[in-house]
Coordinates of all heavy atoms in Angstrom, one line a residue:
M1230 N -34.0 15.4 0.5 CA -35.3 14.7 0.5 C -35.9 14.7 -0.9 O -36.5 13.7 -1.3 CB -36.2 15.4 1.5 CG -37.6 14.7 1.5 SD -38.6 15.2 2.9 CE -37.6 14.8 4.2
N1231 N -35.8 15.8 -1.6 CA -36.4 15.8 -3.0 C -35.8 14.8 -3.9 O -36.5 14.2 -4.8 CB -36.3 17.2 -3.6 CG -37.3 18.2 -2.9 OD1 -38.3 17.8 -2.4 ND2 -36.9 19.5 -3.0
G1232 N -34.5 14.5 -3.7 CA -33.9 13.4 -4.5 C -34.5 12.1 -4.2 O -34.7 11.3 -5.1
N1233 N -34.9 11.9 -3.0 CA -35.6 10.6 -2.7 C -36.9 10.5 -3.4 O -37.3 9.5 -3.8 CB -35.8 10.5 -1.2 CG -34.5 10.2 -0.4 OD1 -33.5 9.8 -1.0 ND2 -34.4 10.5 0.8
I1234 N -37.7 11.6 -3.4 CA -39.0 11.7 -4.1 C -38.8 11.4 -5.6 O -39.5 10.6 -6.2 CB -39.7 13.0 -3.8 CG1 -40.1 13.1 -2.3 CG2 -40.9 13.1 -4.7 CD1 -40.7 14.4 -1.9
K1235 N -37.8 12.0 -6.1 CA -37.5 11.8 -7.6 C -37.1 10.3 -7.8 O -37.6 9.8 -8.8 CB -36.3 12.7 -8.0 CG -36.7 14.1 -8.1 CD -35.4 14.9 -8.5 CE -35.7 16.4 -8.5 NZ -34.5 17.2 -8.8
D1236 N -36.3 9.7 -7.0 CA -36.0 8.3 -7.1 C -37.2 7.4 -7.0 O -37.4 6.5 -7.8 CB -35.0 7.9 -6.1 CG -33.6 8.6 -6.3 OD1 -33.4 9.1 -7.4 OD2 -32.8 8.6 -5.3
L1237 N -38.1 7.7 -6.0 CA -39.3 6.9 -5.9 C -40.2 7.1 -7.1 O -40.9 6.1 -7.5 CB -40.0 7.3 -4.6 CG -39.3 6.9 -3.3 CD1 -40.1 7.5 -2.1 CD2 -39.2 5.4 -3.2
I1238 N -40.3 8.3 -7.6 CA -41.2 8.5 -8.8 C -40.6 7.7 -10.0 O -41.4 7.1 -10.7 CB -41.3 10.0 -9.1 CG1 -42.1 10.7 -8.1 CG2 -41.9 10.2 -10.5 CD1 -42.1 12.2 -8.2
S1239 N -39.3 7.7 -10.1 CA -38.7 7.0 -11.2 C -38.9 5.5 -11.0 O -39.3 4.8 -12.0 CB -37.2 7.2 -11.2 OG -36.5 6.5 -12.2
L1240 N -38.8 4.9 -9.8 CA -39.1 3.5 -9.6 C -40.5 3.2 -9.8 O -40.9 2.2 -10.4 CB -38.7 3.2 -8.1 CG -37.3 3.1 -7.8 CD1 -37.1 2.9 -6.3 CD2 -36.6 1.9 -8.5
Y1241 N -41.4 4.1 -9.4 CA -42.9 4.0 -9.6 C -43.2 3.8 -11.1 O -43.9 3.0 -11.5 CB -43.6 5.1 -9.0 CG -45.1 5.0 -9.0 CD1 -45.8 4.5 -8.0 CD2 -45.8 5.4 -10.2 CE1 -47.2 4.4 -8.0 CE2 -47.2 5.3 -10.2 CZ -47.9 4.8 -9.1 OH -49.3 4.6 -9.1
N1242 N -42.6 4.7 -11.9 CA -42.8 4.7 -13.4 C -42.3 3.5 -14.0 O -42.7 3.1 -15.1 CB -42.2 5.9 -14.0 CG -43.1 7.2 -13.8 OD1 -44.2 7.1 -13.5 ND2 -42.4 8.3 -13.8
N1243 N -41.2 2.8 -13.5 CA -40.6 1.7 -14.1 C -41.0 0.4 -13.6 O -40.4 -0.6 -14.0 CB -39.0 1.9 -13.9 CG -38.5 3.0 -14.7 OD1 -39.0 3.3 -15.8 ND2 -37.5 3.7 -14.1
T1244 N -42.0 0.3 -12.8 CA -42.5 -1.0 -12.3 C -43.9 -1.3 -12.9 O -44.7 -0.4 -13.1 CB -42.5 -1.1 -10.8 OG1 -42.9 -2.4 -10.4 CG2 -43.6 -0.1 -10.2
Q1245 N -44.2 -2.5 -13.0 CA -45.5 -3.0 -13.5 C -46.3 -3.6 -12.4 O -47.5 -3.8 -12.5 CB -45.3 -4.0 -14.7 CG -44.6 -3.4 -15.9 CD -45.4 -2.3 -16.5 OE1 -46.6 -2.3 -16.6 NE2 -44.7 -1.2 -16.9
S1246 N -45.7 -3.9 -11.3 CA -46.4 -4.5 -10.2 C -47.3 -3.6 -9.4 O -46.8 -2.5 -9.0 CB -45.3 -5.1 -9.2 OG -45.9 -5.5 -8.0
R1247 N -48.5 -3.9 -9.3 CA -49.5 -3.0 -8.6 C -49.1 -2.9 -7.1 O -49.2 -1.9 -6.5 CB -50.9 -3.5 -8.8 CG -51.3 -3.5 -10.2 CD -52.7 -4.0 -10.4 NE -53.6 -2.9 -10.2 CZ -54.9 -3.0 -10.1 NH1 -55.5 -4.2 -10.1 NH2 -55.7 -2.0 -10.0
L1248 N -48.6 -4.0 -6.5 CA -48.3 -4.1 -5.1 C -47.1 -3.2 -4.9 O -47.0 -2.4 -3.9 CB -47.9 -5.5 -4.7 CG -47.6 -5.7 -3.2 CD1 -48.7 -5.2 -2.3 CD2 -47.3 -7.1 -3.0
E1249 N -46.1 -3.2 -5.8 CA -44.9 -2.4 -5.6 C -45.3 -0.9 -5.8 O -44.7 -0.1 -5.1 CB -43.8 -2.8 -6.6 CG -42.5 -2.1 -6.4 CD -41.4 -2.7 -7.3 OE1 -41.6 -3.6 -8.1 OE2 -40.3 -2.1 -7.3
K1250 N -46.2 -0.6 -6.8 CA -46.6 0.8 -7.0 C -47.3 1.3 -5.7 O -47.1 2.4 -5.3 CB -47.5 0.9 -8.2 CG -46.8 0.8 -9.5 CD -47.7 1.1 -10.6 CE -46.9 1.1 -11.9 NZ -47.5 1.9 -12.9
A1251 N -48.1 0.5 -5.1 CA -48.8 0.9 -3.9 C -47.8 1.2 -2.8 O -47.9 2.2 -2.0 CB -49.8 -0.2 -3.4
N1252 N -46.8 0.3 -2.6 CA -45.8 0.5 -1.6 C -45.0 1.7 -1.9 O -44.7 2.5 -1.0 CB -44.9 -0.8 -1.6 CG -43.9 -0.7 -0.5 OD1 -44.1 -0.1 0.5 ND2 -42.8 -1.4 -0.7
L1253 N -44.6 2.0 -3.1 CA -43.8 3.2 -3.5 C -44.7 4.4 -3.2 O -44.1 5.4 -2.7 CB -43.4 3.1 -4.9 CG -42.3 2.1 -5.2 CD1 -42.1 1.9 -6.7 CD2 -41.0 2.5 -4.6
W1254 N -46.0 4.4 -3.6 CA -46.8 5.5 -3.3 C -46.9 5.9 -1.9 O -46.9 7.1 -1.5 CB -48.2 5.3 -4.0 CG -49.0 6.6 -3.9 CD1 -50.0 6.9 -3.1 CD2 -48.8 7.8 -4.7 NE1 -50.5 8.2 -3.3 CE2 -49.7 8.7 -4.2 CE3 -47.9 8.1 -5.7 CZ2 -49.8 10.0 -4.8 CZ3 -48.0 9.4 -6.2 CH2 -48.9 10.3 -5.8
S1255 N -47.0 4.9 -1.0 CA -47.1 5.2 0.4 C -45.8 5.8 0.9 O -45.8 6.7 1.8 CB -47.4 3.9 1.2 OG -46.3 3.0 1.2
H1256 N -44.6 5.4 0.4 CA -43.4 6.0 0.7 C -43.3 7.5 0.2 O -42.8 8.4 0.9 CB -42.2 5.3 0.1 CG -41.9 4.0 0.9 ND1 -41.4 3.9 2.1 CD2 -42.1 2.7 0.5 CE1 -41.3 2.7 2.5 NE2 -41.7 1.9 1.5
I1257 N -43.9 7.7 -1.0 CA -43.9 9.1 -1.5 C -44.8 10.0 -0.6 O -44.4 11.1 -0.2 CB -44.5 9.1 -2.9 CG1 -43.4 8.5 -3.9 CG2 -44.8 10.5 -3.4 CD1 -44.0 8.2 -5.3
E1258 N -45.9 9.4 -0.2 CA -46.8 10.2 0.7 C -46.1 10.5 2.1 O -46.3 11.6 2.6 CB -48.1 9.4 1.0 CG -49.0 9.4 -0.1 CD -50.3 8.5 0.1 OE1 -50.2 7.6 0.9 OE2 -51.3 8.9 -0.4
T1259 N -45.4 9.6 2.6 CA -44.6 9.8 3.8 C -43.6 10.9 3.7 O -43.5 11.8 4.5 CB -44.0 8.5 4.3 OG1 -45.0 7.5 4.5 CG2 -43.2 8.7 5.6
L1260 N -42.9 10.9 2.6 CA -41.9 11.9 2.3 C -42.5 13.3 2.2 O -42.0 14.3 2.6 CB -41.0 11.6 1.1 CG -40.0 10.4 1.3 CD1 -39.3 10.1 0.0 CD2 -39.0 10.8 2.3
V1261 N -43.6 13.3 1.5 CA -44.3 14.6 1.3 C -44.8 15.1 2.6 O -44.8 16.3 2.9 CB -45.5 14.5 0.3 CG1 -46.4 15.7 0.3 CG2 -44.9 14.2 -1.1
E1262 N -45.3 14.2 3.5 CA -45.8 14.6 4.8 C -44.6 15.2 5.6 O -44.8 16.2 6.3 CB -46.4 13.4 5.6 CG -47.1 13.8 6.8 CD -47.9 12.6 7.4 OE1 -48.6 12.0 6.6 OE2 -47.7 12.4 8.6
D1263 N -43.5 14.6 5.6 CA -42.3 15.1 6.3 C -41.9 16.4 5.7 O -41.5 17.4 6.5 CB -41.1 14.1 6.2 CG -41.3 12.8 6.9 OD1 -42.3 12.8 7.8 OD2 -40.6 11.8 6.6
L1264 N -42.0 16.6 4.4 CA -41.6 17.8 3.8 C -42.6 19.0 4.2 O -42.2 20.1 4.4 CB -41.6 17.7 2.2 CG -41.2 18.8 1.4 CD1 -39.7 19.2 1.7 CD2 -41.3 18.5 -0.1
A1265 N -43.9 18.6 4.3 CA -44.9 19.6 4.8 C -44.5 20.1 6.2 O -44.7 21.3 6.5 CB -46.3 19.0 4.7
E1266 N -44.1 19.2 7.1 CA -43.8 19.6 8.4 C -42.5 20.4 8.5 O -42.4 21.3 9.3 CB -43.6 18.3 9.3 CG -45.0 17.7 9.6 CD -44.8 16.5 10.5 OE1 -43.8 16.3 11.2 OE2 -45.8 15.7 10.5
E1267 N -41.6 20.2 7.6 CA -40.4 21.0 7.5 C -40.7 22.4 6.9 O -40.1 23.4 7.3 CB -39.3 20.3 6.6 CG -38.7 19.1 7.2 CD -37.7 18.4 6.3 OE1 -37.4 19.0 5.2 OE2 -37.4 17.3 6.6
T1268 N -41.6 22.4 6.0 CA -42.0 23.7 5.3 C -42.8 24.6 6.2 O -42.6 25.8 6.2 CB -42.8 23.4 4.0 OG1 -42.0 22.5 3.2 CG2 -43.1 24.6 3.2
Y1269 N -43.6 24.0 7.0 CA -44.5 24.7 7.9 C -44.2 24.3 9.4 O -45.0 23.6 10.0 CB -46.0 24.5 7.6 CG -46.3 25.1 6.3 CD1 -46.4 24.3 5.2 CD2 -46.5 26.4 6.1 CE1 -46.8 24.8 3.9 CE2 -46.8 27.0 4.8 CZ -46.9 26.1 3.8 OH -47.2 26.6 2.5
P1270 N -43.1 24.7 10.0 CA -42.8 24.3 11.3 C -43.6 25.1 12.3 O -44.1 26.2 12.0 CB -41.3 24.7 11.5 CG -41.1 25.8 10.5 CD -42.0 25.5 9.4
N1271 N -43.7 24.6 13.5 CA -44.4 25.3 14.6 C -43.5 26.3 15.3 O -42.9 26.0 16.3 CB -45.0 24.3 15.6 CG -46.0 25.0 16.5 OD1 -46.1 26.2 16.6 ND2 -46.7 24.2 17.3
E1272 N -43.3 27.4 14.6 CA -42.3 28.4 15.1 C -42.7 29.3 16.2 O -42.0 30.0 16.8 CB -41.7 29.2 13.9 CG -42.8 29.9 13.2 CD -42.4 30.4 11.8 OE1 -41.5 29.7 11.2 OE2 -42.9 31.4 11.4
Y1273 N -44.0 29.3 16.5 CA -44.6 30.2 17.6 C -44.9 29.4 18.9 O -45.4 30.0 19.8 CB -45.8 30.9 17.1 CG -45.6 31.7 15.8 CD1 -46.0 31.3 14.6 CD2 -44.8 32.9 15.9 CE1 -45.8 32.1 13.5 CE2 -44.6 33.6 14.8 CZ -45.0 33.2 13.6 OH -44.8 34.0 12.5
E1274 N -44.5 28.2 19.0 CA -44.8 27.4 20.1 C -44.3 28.0 21.4 O -44.9 27.8 22.5 CB -44.3 26.0 19.9 CG -44.8 25.0 20.9 CD -44.4 23.6 20.5 OE1 -43.3 23.4 19.8 OE2 -45.1 22.7 20.9
K1275 N -43.2 28.6 21.4 CA -42.6 29.1 22.6 C -42.9 30.6 22.9 O -42.5 31.2 23.8 CB -41.1 29.0 22.6 CG -40.7 27.5 22.6 CD -39.2 27.3 22.6 CE -38.7 26.0 22.7 NZ -39.2 24.9 22.1
S1276 N -43.8 31.2 22.1 CA -44.2 32.6 22.2 C -45.2 32.7 23.4 O -45.9 31.8 23.7 CB -44.9 33.0 20.9 OG -45.5 34.3 21.2
L1277 N -45.1 33.9 24.1 CA -46.0 34.1 25.2 C -47.5 34.2 24.7 O -48.4 34.0 25.5 CB -45.6 35.4 25.9 CG -44.3 35.4 26.6 CD1 -44.0 36.8 27.1 CD2 -44.3 34.5 27.8
F1278 N -47.7 34.6 23.5 CA -49.0 34.8 23.0 C -49.5 33.7 22.2 O -50.5 33.8 21.4 CB -49.1 36.1 22.1 CG -48.6 37.3 22.9 CD1 -47.3 37.9 22.6 CD2 -49.4 37.9 23.8 CE1 -46.9 39.0 23.3 CE2 -49.0 39.0 24.5 CZ -47.7 39.5 24.3
Y1279 N -48.9 32.5 22.3 CA -49.2 31.3 21.5 C -50.5 30.8 22.0 O -50.7 30.5 23.2 CB -48.1 30.3 21.7 CG -48.3 29.0 21.0 CD1 -48.3 28.9 19.6 CD2 -48.5 27.8 21.7 CE1 -48.5 27.7 19.0 CE2 -48.7 26.6 21.1 CZ -48.7 26.6 19.7 OH -49.0 25.4 19.1
D1280 N -51.5 30.6 21.1 CA -52.7 30.0 21.4 C -52.8 28.7 20.6 O -52.9 28.6 19.4 CB -53.9 30.9 20.9 CG -55.3 30.3 21.2 OD1 -55.3 29.2 21.8 OD2 -56.3 30.9 20.8
E1281 N -52.5 27.6 21.3 CA -52.4 26.3 20.7 C -53.5 25.9 19.8 O -53.3 25.4 18.7 CB -52.1 25.2 21.8 CG -51.9 23.9 21.2 CD -51.5 22.9 22.3 OE1 -51.4 23.2 23.5 OE2 -51.5 21.7 21.9
D1282 N -54.8 26.1 20.3 CA -55.9 25.7 19.5 C -56.0 26.4 18.2 O -56.2 25.7 17.1 CB -57.2 25.9 20.3 CG -57.3 25.0 21.5 OD1 -56.7 23.9 21.5 OD2 -57.9 25.4 22.5
D1283 N -55.9 27.7 18.2 CA -56.1 28.5 16.9 C -54.9 28.2 16.0 O -55.1 28.0 14.8 CB -56.2 30.0 17.2 CG -57.5 30.3 17.9 OD1 -58.4 29.6 17.7 OD2 -57.5 31.4 18.5
Y1284 N -53.7 28.2 16.5 CA -52.5 28.1 15.6 C -52.4 26.7 15.1 O -52.0 26.5 13.9 CB -51.3 28.6 16.4 CG -50.1 28.7 15.4 CD1 -50.0 29.7 14.4 CD2 -49.1 27.8 15.5 CE1 -49.0 29.7 13.5 CE2 -48.0 27.8 14.6 CZ -48.0 28.8 13.6 OH -46.9 28.9 12.8
E1285 N -52.6 25.7 15.9 CA -52.5 24.3 15.5 C -53.5 24.0 14.3 O -53.1 23.4 13.4 CB -52.7 23.3 16.6 CG -51.5 23.2 17.5 CD -50.3 22.7 16.8 OE1 -50.4 21.8 16.0 OE2 -49.2 23.2 17.1
D1286 N -54.7 24.5 14.4 CA -55.7 24.3 13.4 C -55.2 25.0 12.1 O -55.3 24.4 11.0 CB -57.0 24.9 13.7 CG -57.7 24.1 14.8 OD1 -57.3 22.9 15.0 OD2 -58.7 24.6 15.4
F1287 N -54.7 26.2 12.2 CA -54.2 27.0 11.0 C -53.0 26.2 10.4 O -52.9 26.1 9.2 CB -53.8 28.4 11.5 CG -53.1 29.2 10.4 CD1 -53.9 29.6 9.3 CD2 -51.8 29.5 10.5 CE1 -53.3 30.4 8.3 CE2 -51.2 30.2 9.5 CZ -51.9 30.7 8.4
L1288 N -52.1 25.8 11.3 CA -50.9 25.1 10.8 C -51.3 23.8 10.1 O -50.7 23.5 9.1 CB -50.0 24.9 12.0 CG -48.6 24.3 11.7 CD1 -47.8 25.3 10.8 CD2 -47.8 24.1 13.0
N1289 N -52.2 23.0 10.7 CA -52.6 21.8 10.1 C -53.3 22.0 8.8 O -53.1 21.2 7.8 CB -53.5 21.0 11.0 CG -52.8 20.4 12.2 OD1 -51.6 20.2 12.1 ND2 -53.5 20.3 13.3
E1290 N -54.1 23.1 8.6 CA -54.7 23.4 7.3 C -53.6 23.7 6.3 O -53.7 23.3 5.1 CB -55.6 24.6 7.5 CG -56.9 24.2 8.2 CD -57.8 25.4 8.5 OE1 -57.5 26.5 7.9 OE2 -58.8 25.3 9.2
Q1291 N -52.6 24.5 6.7 CA -51.5 24.8 5.7 C -50.8 23.6 5.3 O -50.5 23.4 4.1 CB -50.6 25.8 6.4 CG -51.0 27.2 6.4 CD -49.9 28.1 6.9 OE1 -49.2 27.8 7.9 NE2 -49.8 29.3 6.3
R1292 N -50.5 22.7 6.3 CA -49.7 21.5 5.9 C -50.6 20.6 5.0 O -50.1 20.0 4.1 CB -49.4 20.7 7.2 CG -48.2 21.4 8.0 CD -48.0 20.7 9.3 NE -46.9 21.3 10.0 CZ -46.6 21.0 11.3 NH1 -47.3 20.1 11.9 NH2 -45.6 21.6 11.9
E1293 N -51.8 20.4 5.3 CA -52.7 19.6 4.5 C -52.9 20.1 3.1 O -52.8 19.4 2.1 CB -54.1 19.5 5.2 CG -54.9 18.4 4.6 CD -54.3 17.0 4.8 OE1 -53.6 16.7 5.8 OE2 -54.6 16.1 3.9
A1294 N -53.0 21.4 3.0 CA -53.1 22.0 1.6 C -51.8 21.8 0.9 O -51.8 21.5 -0.3 CB -53.4 23.5 1.7
F1295 N -50.7 21.9 1.5 CA -49.4 21.7 0.9 C -49.3 20.3 0.4 O -48.9 20.0 -0.7 CB -48.2 22.0 1.9 CG -46.9 21.7 1.4 CD1 -46.2 22.7 0.7 CD2 -46.3 20.5 1.6 CE1 -44.9 22.5 0.2 CE2 -45.0 20.3 1.1 CZ -44.3 21.2 0.4
K1296 N -49.6 19.3 1.3 CA -49.5 17.9 0.9 C -50.4 17.6 -0.2 O -50.0 16.9 -1.2 CB -49.9 17.0 2.1 CG -48.9 17.0 3.2 CD -49.2 16.0 4.3 CE -50.4 16.3 5.1 NZ -50.6 15.5 6.3
K1297 N -51.7 18.0 -0.2 CA -52.6 17.8 -1.3 C -52.1 18.3 -2.6 O -52.1 17.7 -3.7 CB -54.0 18.3 -1.0 CG -54.7 17.5 0.0 CD -56.1 18.1 0.2 CE -56.9 17.3 1.3 NZ -58.2 17.8 1.5
G1298 N -51.6 19.6 -2.6 CA -51.1 20.2 -3.8 C -49.8 19.4 -4.3 O -49.7 19.2 -5.5
Y1299 N -48.9 19.1 -3.4 CA -47.7 18.4 -3.8 C -48.0 17.0 -4.4 O -47.5 16.6 -5.4 CB -46.8 18.3 -2.6 CG -45.3 18.2 -2.9 CD1 -44.6 19.4 -2.8 CD2 -44.7 17.1 -3.2 CE1 -43.2 19.4 -3.1 CE2 -43.3 17.0 -3.5 CZ -42.6 18.2 -3.4 OH -41.2 18.2 -3.6
L1300 N -48.9 16.3 -3.7 CA -49.3 14.9 -4.2 C -50.0 15.0 -5.6 O -49.8 14.2 -6.5 CB -50.1 14.2 -3.2 CG -49.3 13.7 -2.0 CD1 -50.2 13.1 -0.9 CD2 -48.2 12.7 -2.4
Y1301 N -50.9 16.1 -5.7 CA -51.6 16.3 -7.0 C -50.6 16.5 -8.1 O -50.7 16.0 -9.2 CB -52.5 17.4 -6.9 CG -53.3 17.7 -8.1 CD1 -54.4 16.9 -8.5 CD2 -53.0 18.8 -8.9 CE1 -55.1 17.2 -9.7 CE2 -53.7 19.1 -10.0 CZ -54.8 18.3 -10.4 OH -55.4 18.5 -11.6
A1302 N -49.6 17.3 -7.8 CA -48.5 17.6 -8.8 C -47.8 16.3 -9.2 O -47.5 16.1 -10.4 CB -47.6 18.7 -8.3
I1303 N -47.4 15.5 -8.2 CA -46.7 14.3 -8.5 C -47.6 13.3 -9.3 O -47.1 12.7 -10.2 CB -46.3 13.6 -7.1 CG1 -45.2 14.4 -6.5 CG2 -45.8 12.2 -7.4 CD1 -44.8 14.0 -5.1
E1304 N -48.9 13.2 -9.0 CA -49.8 12.4 -9.8 C -49.8 12.8 -11.2 O -49.8 12.0 -12.1 CB -51.2 12.4 -9.2 CG -51.4 11.7 -7.9 CD -52.8 11.8 -7.3 OE1 -53.7 12.2 -8.1 OE2 -52.9 11.5 -6.2
N1305 N -49.9 14.1 -11.4 CA -49.9 14.7 -12.8 C -48.6 14.4 -13.5 O -48.6 14.0 -14.7 CB -50.2 16.2 -12.8 CG -51.7 16.5 -12.6 OD1 -52.5 15.7 -12.9 ND2 -51.9 17.7 -12.1
L1306 N -47.5 14.5 -12.8 CA -46.2 14.2 -13.4 C -46.1 12.7 -13.8 O -45.7 12.4 -14.9 CB -45.1 14.5 -12.4 CG -43.7 14.2 -12.8 CD1 -43.3 15.1 -13.9 CD2 -42.8 14.3 -11.6
I1307 N -46.6 11.8 -12.9 CA -46.6 10.4 -13.2 C -47.5 10.1 -14.4 O -47.1 9.3 -15.3 CB -47.0 9.6 -12.0 CG1 -45.8 9.6 -10.9 CG2 -47.3 8.1 -12.3 CD1 -46.2 9.1 -9.6
L1308 N -48.7 10.6 -14.4 CA -49.6 10.3 -15.5 C -49.2 10.9 -16.8 O -49.6 10.3 -17.9 CB -51.0 10.9 -15.1 CG -51.7 10.2 -13.9 CD1 -53.0 10.9 -13.6 CD2 -52.0 8.7 -14.2
N1309 N -48.5 12.0 -16.8 CA -48.1 12.6 -18.1 C -46.7 12.1 -18.6 O -46.2 12.6 -19.6 CB -48.1 14.1 -18.0 CG -49.5 14.6 -17.8 OD1 -50.4 14.1 -18.4 ND2 -49.6 15.7 -17.0
S1310 N -46.1 11.2 -17.8 CA -44.7 10.7 -18.3 C -44.8 9.4 -19.0 O -45.8 8.8 -19.2 CB -43.8 10.6 -17.2 OG -44.3 10.0 -16.0

């Protein structure tokens, strides 16, 4: 998956079309979202002590923080290249 993100960043840097850049960015966001779900899976779902409300909120916060940080790093990489 990271190879795909690298390829998309490369394409993003090499295009001048604003429409194509917007399209590529949405693909990058989708890949990062998938990566966040893989990085923070719901591993306690089948536990007897699983509290869906508390754990889902915690898990969603972790995933959102991961996505924001990852996208921020990609933005900095693109702007500095």
Side-chain angles (χ1 to χ4, degrees):
M1230 178 167 306
N1231 287 335
N1233 291 336
I1234 291 174
K1235 289 178 187 177
D1236 294 342
L1237 290 174
I1238 291 171
S1239 177
L1240 289 172
Y1241 185 94
N1242 285 333
N1243 293 323
T1244 187
Q1245 297 300 318
S1246 167
R1247 296 178 92 190
L1248 182 60
E1249 189 174 355
K1250 282 187 177 207
N1252 186 27
L1253 289 167
W1254 187 254
S1255 70
H1256 286 292
I1257 290 170
E1258 286 178 331
T1259 301
L1260 287 175
V1261 170
E1262 190 170 313
D1263 293 344
L1264 185 59
E1266 288 182 20
E1267 289 175 13
T1268 304
Y1269 295 101
N1271 190 350
E1272 55 197 31
Y1273 299 108
E1274 191 172 25
K1275 295 185 176 36
S1276 170
L1277 292 174
F1278 303 106
Y1279 177 69
D1280 182 2
E1281 183 176 351
D1282 295 332
D1283 290 339
Y1284 188 70
E1285 282 298 320
D1286 288 342
F1287 174 71
L1288 188 59
N1289 288 334
E1290 287 174 9
Q1291 281 186 320
R1292 287 176 178 167
E1293 194 61 33
F1295 177 88
K1296 288 188 290 188
K1297 285 181 180 180
Y1299 210 94
L1300 289 173
Y1301 180 75
I1303 290 172
E1304 286 177 17
N1305 282 336
L1306 178 68
I1307 289 172
L1308 291 175
N1309 292 326
S1310 48

